[in-house]
Amino acid sequence: MVTNKRYLDAPERCAAIEDALARLSKEDSKLGECMLNAAVTGAVVARQPADIVLRAEAAEAWNAIKMVITHHLSSEEDIVLPWMKSQANFPPDLILRTCEQHARLRELARTVDATSFITGFNEDVTKAGTALTAFAVCLDDLIDGEERDLFPMIQRALFGDTSGAGE
């Protein structure tokens, strides 16, 4: 009876993973639009932390990313990563790389969040701006790896390799 239940759940679980991938891919596109701005504004405000306009631009850039990235990382960590870990033949290097990148992004996000770009001291704004730039670079690497390696691997695990790419 347990095995029958397991097979009944499999299509629902695959559909949940497939839905999550579609949402994550859309979020990747949305984040991609914000990354360059975040990288540039973070770097510029880190060099000129007393500039009020640059502080406001950095705060705006961070807020645009923060709204999307929080949901994005949670979806991957709550839905996709557990599924990947449950798959016997899923490449462990992709799982490890994803976990490491998430940890790095969360660390950088804490650094950026620890300071108000608007009211923070110049030294703190410099640190937060540098972290914002590093965050954008790390996020770019994460998205690139997802689109190039991770999402196609998940698709192959869900549906088999029908593209002929492995031949």
Side-chain angles (χ1 to χ4, degrees):
M1 204 54 131
V2 172
T3 55
N4 288 342
K5 174 70 172 140
R6 185 173 171 220
Y7 286 115
L8 290 174
D9 286 346
E12 292 173 1
R13 193 170 184 201
C14 288
I17 297 299
E18 191 174 6
D19 288 346
L21 285 182
R23 278 192 319 274
L24 291 168
S25 189
K26 285 180 186 176
E27 288 173 0
D28 281 352
S29 296
K30 190 181 255 187
L31 288 166
E33 296 168 7
C34 302
M35 278 186 304
L36 181 59
N37 186 41
V40 171
T41 58
V44 173
V45 79
R47 293 179 143 229
Q48 299 174 34
D51 188 310
I52 301 301
V53 172
L54 295 177
R55 285 173 172 241
E57 289 174 358
E60 186 177 328
W62 174 241
N63 288 333
I65 287 179
K66 185 178 176 180
M67 289 175 26
V68 179
I69 196 65
T70 302
H71 179 265
H72 189 84
L73 293 177
S74 294
S75 291
E76 286 185 357
E77 292 166 359
D78 296 342
I79 299 168
V80 179
L81 272 167
W83 178 84
M84 290 165 41
K85 291 175 181 178
S86 75
Q87 302 302 300
N89 295 326
F90 205 89
D93 60 312
L94 289 180
I95 295 169
L96 180 63
R97 181 175 70 192
T98 300
C99 291
E100 288 173 347
Q101 287 174 318
H102 281 219
R104 178 74 174 135
L105 284 171
R106 288 196 183 280
E107 173 190 329
L108 290 165
R110 281 190 297 276
T111 301
V112 176
D113 272 342
T115 299
S116 166
F117 282 108
I118 304 302
T119 62
F121 293 111
N122 287 348
E123 305 82 38
D124 296 330
V125 170
T126 296
K127 184 177 178 182
T130 301
L132 179 58
T133 299
F135 184 94
V137 170
C138 186
L139 182 58
D140 185 51
D141 289 345
L142 174 75
I143 290 171
D144 184 49
E146 286 177 350
E147 297 294 331
R148 183 189 64 241
D149 302 322
L150 185 63
F151 292 172
M153 179 58 69
I154 292 171
Q155 290 287 343
R156 284 191 296 274
L158 286 171
F159 306 109
D161 189 3
T162 58
S163 68
E167 301 175 275

